[in-house]
Amino acid sequence: MPRDDYVTEKAERAVRQRRAVVFILAGMVLGGLAWILLPPDRGRFQYAVSVVDPRPWPDAKMPAGMEEIRVVRRRFLLPRTVEVGAVKVTRLARPEGRGGSAHVMMAEGLADLFTPADCQAGKAVAGESTALAGSASGLSRGFTQLGSRTIEISGVLEGLGPLLDEALWMEWSQSLATELAGAGWRVRVRYLLLAETWAEREQVLAQLEAEPGLLPTPEAEIMSPAEPPPLSDALRLVLACVMVAGGVLLLVRQLRGMFGQAAAGTLGRE
């Protein structure tokens, strides 16, 4: 091969390599931006709504209509009407001045509320003598004292949402609740409505406002500290998928080109 042709081919190869590197970097940048745009994990109960029953806790009973609240839920952009899901929980708060940072939440059928995937440490097993610590409760695995009982904290939960993260979660125990209430603990019953998205949360709140019969009493307090996402999860997911696909296509195209050029050069030398 004449020297001038060799120099020209070498220069062109260097240009192609630099261009490939630029496209690969562009693909990596697109993938990074897509990761940023993916809907963040705010906890699967981020949009839960809590209705606080003002009646004395032995008299509290979930209104029948509350268990039948329905919302439009979308799966793969296909809408369907489903029951949102309601859970009765009893909140016990320590008397002021007593040690201990976490309040206690008791729920019937705790195993149906939490799954093994909800635990960041330990096991999602709880009963009258075991408990699960919320991620913001300040508690870890081990033992804690509640009244006359020693409770084993069998697991620590992932961040699940502001209404759940600060509590120590236990299976419902009337005997323990009665003992703690007698020791000065403040006891209130609340009902968790497990909306999964901001849109579902808005539907639940609208129904509670429009139908007073869904509330235990007119004085019931409705709590929902969730904040709206800057973009809808569906839009962010679509944008992220498009950018990921674009980045992958750029990478594949340039890598194929580089390997093809290398193979052609090898065959040419042979």
Side-chain angles (χ1 to χ4, degrees), residues 110 125-132 151-152 154 169-173:
L110 198 64
V125 179
E128 290 194 7
S129 60
T130 58
L132 299 170
I151 304 297
E152 180 185 2
S154 63
W169 286 87
M170 298 182 61
E171 185 71 34
W172 164 247
S173 169

Side-chain angles (χ1 to χ4, degrees), residues 11-31:
E12 290 177 349
R13 188 183 306 130
V15 170
R16 288 195 297 268
Q17 289 176 346
R18 286 196 295 269
R19 187 180 302 163
V21 169
V22 169
F23 275 99
I24 290 173
L25 290 175
M28 294 174 65
V29 169
L30 281 175

Side-chain angles (χ1 to χ4, degrees), residues 85-270:
V87 179
K88 177 182 177 182
V89 297
T90 302
R91 184 182 187 273
L92 302 99
R94 295 178 184 271
E96 293 184 7
R98 299 278 184 90
S101 59
H103 56 267
V104 177
M105 289 282 214
M106 293 184 179
E108 296 181 6
L110 198 64
D112 297 330
L113 182 61
F114 301 123
T115 68
D118 290 327
C119 265
Q120 59 175 296
K123 298 180 179 180
V125 179
E128 290 194 7
S129 60
T130 58
L132 299 170
S135 62
S137 67
L139 299 173
S140 57
R141 294 177 64 191
F143 295 89
T144 188
Q145 195 72 23
L146 292 178
S148 62
R149 300 191 190 184
T150 299
I151 304 297
E152 180 185 2
I153 301 176
S154 63
V156 179
L157 296 168
E158 298 281 357
L160 296 174
L163 293 174
L164 294 86
D165 290 344
E166 295 182 357
L168 180 68
W169 286 87
M170 298 182 61
E171 185 71 34
W172 164 247
S173 169
Q174 180 156 353
S175 59
L176 180 56
T178 301
E179 178 186 344
L180 295 180
W185 288 56
R186 291 166 294 166
V187 186
R188 279 288 181 271
V189 171
R190 56 181 61 188
Y191 313 108
L192 291 179
L193 298 165
L194 305 178
E196 293 187 359
T197 64
W198 180 263
E200 290 184 18
R201 170 189 177 274
E202 294 294 282
Q203 294 175 58
V204 169
L205 292 176
Q207 291 180 60
L208 292 176
E209 182 178 353
E211 302 179 42
L214 294 175
L215 299 176
T217 73
E219 295 77 24
E221 180 184 3
I222 300 173
M223 302 171 59
S224 182
E227 297 181 359
L231 295 175
S232 71
D233 284 350
L235 178 58
R236 295 179 71 189
L237 186 59
V238 169
L239 289 174
C241 290
V242 169
M243 297 183 75
V244 166
V248 170
L249 287 174
L250 282 174
L251 287 171
V252 170
R253 178 181 175 184
Q254 293 307 312
L255 289 174
R256 287 181 60 185
M258 291 176 65
F259 287 126
Q261 291 165 14
T266 301
L267 292 174
R269 285 194 296 272
E270 293 177 353

